[in-house]
Amino acid sequence: MAEVKLGISSYSYWHFRGPKVPIETVIEKAGAMGVQGVEVLHRQMESEERPYLQNLKRLAFLQGVDLICLSIHQNFVSPDPEVRRQNVEHTLRCIELAYAMEHKMNFTRVANKSGVFVVPTLESFQAAAASASWQAPDFYEILTEAPGKDSWP
């Protein structure tokens, strides 16, 4: 029998009165509860820009949570053709957005020399650089296989 996975919608944390709960908080709460996925409410997103999307995906990755769905709440039954056209355009934009979040922003964890799985962050690169001798005349240093549990491989 297949394992049942549980997901939470960021809509569940969306308040129609203040304060609004950011998607980042929902992802963190889902990770703390051991939930496997978060459905993201599009209108709750602060931006559609790549840095914001990368931040959401990275945070979900670090929390061990999948971003499982993009909820867009469309209305295709309006009698007004212009409203229907706008909803179709919005839907197409959101399909592209969901595709970009799934296929164009990858993150990884790699086991370092200490056997600890780390992600490529500023801190893990700084940990690797801290062990370098920096004695080469051209200031050239290879940082692979750096010691330390926090070092990027």
Side-chain angles (χ1 to χ4, degrees):
M1 179 178 277
E3 175 188 359
V4 175
K5 295 183 177 182
L6 180 63
I8 293 177
S9 176
S10 66
Y11 186 79
S12 301
Y13 287 86
W14 185 250
H15 299 284
F16 294 98
R17 291 175 279 177
K20 304 281 187 202
V21 176
I23 294 171
E24 293 87 344
T25 301
V26 177
I27 293 169
E28 289 168 351
K29 288 179 181 285
M33 291 186 287
V35 174
Q36 290 89 357
V38 171
E39 173 192 45
V40 174
L41 175 63
H42 179 250
R43 69 175 66 173
Q44 191 177 357
M45 293 171 57
E46 293 177 13
S47 170
E48 292 182 7
E49 297 299 317
R50 188 174 181 93
Y52 175 76
L53 301 175
Q54 286 177 317
N55 183 55
L56 290 180
K57 189 159 181 179
R58 182 176 183 275
L59 178 61
F61 178 79
L62 293 173
Q63 295 293 323
V65 174
D66 291 326
L67 299 180
I68 56 175
C69 185
L70 181 63
S71 178
I72 61 173
H73 295 271
Q74 295 299 65
N75 176 5
F76 297 110
V77 295
S78 172
D80 184 342
E82 179 59 22
V83 170
R84 288 193 311 270
R85 184 192 65 73
Q86 289 173 358
N87 280 302
V88 168
E89 285 180 11
H90 181 251
T91 299
L92 293 173
R93 189 173 82 248
C94 287
I95 289 169
E96 290 295 324
L97 180 63
Y99 180 85
M101 288 177 72
E102 177 63 25
H103 298 287
K104 296 181 181 179
M105 292 183 274
N106 298 315
F107 294 93
T108 188
R109 289 182 193 243
V110 176
N112 64 17
K113 189 175 183 177
S114 298
V116 176
F117 283 85
V118 295
V119 296
T121 63
L122 176 61
E123 293 79 15
S124 63
F125 283 105
Q126 287 174 332
S131 66
S133 67
W134 303 108
Q135 299 301 312
D138 58 0
F139 207 65
Y140 174 79
E141 189 75 36
I142 296 175
L143 299 177
T144 56
E145 297 296 322
K149 65 179 184 60
D150 297 322
S151 294
W152 176 252

